[in-house]
Every structure is written in C-alpha cells, then in structure tokens.
Amino acid sequence: MGSLAEAAGKFAEKIADVLDVFDLSFFVAGSAALGAFLVWLSQNGVEIPEGLSADRALVAVIAAYILGLVTYALGRAVRRKGLERLPMLEGHNNAKRMSELYVEHDLGRISDFSRYANRPDALYSRLWVLVRTDVGLRETYSLVRRYWILGAAYDGIGFAALLWVPPAWGLGLSTPVSAVLTLLLLGSALLAWRQASMYHRYQVDELAATAAHWHAEGVTEAPADEPGIGVDEEG
C-alpha cells in the first residue's frame, strides 16, 4: 500500500512539473493580447472566421500562450528599463532592495552569505538555490515562486493593456470617449506594472528574511569588519 501511495505521489509531481512548464498565468495576458489583435484585424477589414472548431481552439490556445510569453518579456523590459524612475515602480530593482535587506537583516554576520558582499545579484540567486533545494524550506519556495509567477503575469497584463489602445480608437466612438478609454488603459498598465514590482519586492523580502531566520540558531559569525553589500547592477 505504501509503495502504491509513493508511486501516486511521484506521478502527481510529474503532472505538476508539466503544468509548471506550461504555466497558466501566461494565458491571462496572452488571451488579452490575442483579443486586441483580433479586434484590430477585424477593424482593418480582415475577416475573422466565426465558430469554434477543434483546430481553431488549438491554434487559439497556442497563440495565447506564445503571446503571453511575448507580453511578459516586453512588459518586464518596459517596466525595468523604460519606467525605472517612476516612484510607483520603486520595487523593480532587486539588487538595490537586496542591498538594503542585507544591512537590515545583518546578513553579513553569517559566513555563508558574507562572501556575497557587493554581489547582490549573486546573493539573490544563492537564496533561490537555498529555498529550492532545502526540504525544510519547501513552503518558502512555494511562496516566492508564487510571487515570481504573479509578477510575471502582471508584467504581461501591463503590456497587453497597451495593445488595446489602437482598437479603442477604432471603435467609432467620439474623440473624448476614446481619449478616456486610452487613459484608462494606460492607467491599467501602470497599475499592473506597479503590482508586478511589488510582487518582486515581496519575493526579495521573503528570501532575505528566510536567510536570516534560517540562520537564527547556530549562526557562524563572519569577521566583524565585513563590508556591507553594494549595488553594482540591477536585479
């Protein structure tokens, strides 16, 4: 009976791994982007087939997933590079935040982490490895992974909102109404990117707090004159 339960557990893990590869969160932004694209094509005289057959459904699912990946990549690039100076997106810089938390949690006193002084991005990667490989930190891994997925979803949603601006102007509405819709879409994009920034900030906060808590007992102290961590590059 025990072997059967173990086999069932391993099978469930394999299914979860498959679902991890095709993360459903990308379909949200991808579906929104696909809808904007189809509306824009229709407005420009392209005939969209009516009805939903099996092959069209398959094409729509694949297109939505691919567009989800594309909008995620473009949305994150816009948020990190194009809007980095906006105060509402202050959580976007992982390296800067990790530098602050390094000091706040006094991680320099821990020998395992003191080597990462002036290397915030390397520390960030090291903490991801820690929570991913330590069995006792599975709950933390699930939490920070969820933060990463939600951040990625909101990055894509932000860019997908921008894709609806051209169709909004092609609806035949008055100029003031179209302008209002455009402002609402731009505001939605900014709010989505703000939420993405906050989820990534939560992720870094959780990783640093876990590192401090994990070493709360039996800490191996680093040399007292260990320098603080610096910011050399963006996370």
Side-chain angles (χ1 to χ4, degrees):
M1 192 68 176
S3 59
L4 180 61
E6 183 179 352
K10 290 183 178 179
F11 178 75
E13 289 179 2
K14 293 297 183 181
I15 295 297
D17 290 340
V18 172
L19 293 177
D20 284 347
V21 174
F22 300 101
D23 197 291
L24 298 180
S25 62
F26 291 114
F27 281 107
V28 178
S31 298
L34 179 60
F37 185 60
L38 292 176
V39 171
W40 180 81
L41 288 177
S42 178
Q43 290 173 343
N44 286 272
V46 178
E47 185 177 350
I48 307 299
E50 296 181 358
L52 185 63
S53 59
D55 56 341
R56 290 174 185 169
L58 179 60
V59 170
V61 168
I62 295 174
Y65 186 75
I66 293 175
L67 286 172
L69 294 174
V70 172
T71 53
Y72 152 69
L74 294 175
R76 179 158 296 188
V78 170
R79 177 173 63 87
R80 286 185 168 180
K81 302 299 183 182
L83 305 174
E84 60 182 3
R85 296 185 181 279
L86 292 181
M88 67 182 298
L89 301 179
E90 61 181 357
H92 82 285
N93 194 320
N94 288 352
K96 179 180 178 181
R97 183 58 181 162
M98 184 62 76
S99 301
E100 297 170 351
L101 294 171
Y102 187 92
V103 175
E104 292 175 11
H105 289 295
D106 196 17
L107 295 181
R109 78 189 193 286
I110 303 170
S111 60
D112 283 356
F113 304 133
S114 61
R115 74 189 71 175
Y116 296 105
N118 301 312
R119 297 165 60 198
D121 289 320
L123 178 60
Y124 173 78
S125 299
R126 171 70 175 82
L127 294 180
W128 260 105
V129 172
L130 173 64
V131 300
R132 189 178 71 246
T133 57
D134 192 292
V135 177
L137 297 176
R138 287 289 177 85
E139 292 185 4
T140 296
Y141 174 65
S142 297
L143 180 61
V144 295
R145 185 179 176 281
R146 177 174 175 77
Y147 286 154
W148 189 95
I149 290 173
L150 288 171
Y154 276 105
D155 273 328
I157 291 171
F159 194 85
L162 297 183
L163 296 180
W164 276 95
V165 172
W169 283 93
L171 293 176
L173 302 174
S174 64
T175 299
V177 174
S178 296
V180 170
L181 283 177
T182 299
L183 290 176
L184 289 175
L185 288 169
L186 293 176
S188 298
L190 287 175
L191 287 175
W193 282 326
R194 181 183 186 280
Q195 195 60 37
S197 291
M198 295 312 300
Y199 274 123
H200 284 284
R201 183 187 179 107
Y202 298 157
Q203 178 193 138
V204 175
D205 288 357
E206 180 69 19
L207 287 171
T210 297
H213 179 73
W214 191 61
H215 283 278
E217 296 182 2
V219 172
T220 303
E221 299 288 342
D225 59 349
E226 187 68 43
I229 195 169
V231 181
D232 295 327
E233 54 184 321
E234 180 183 335

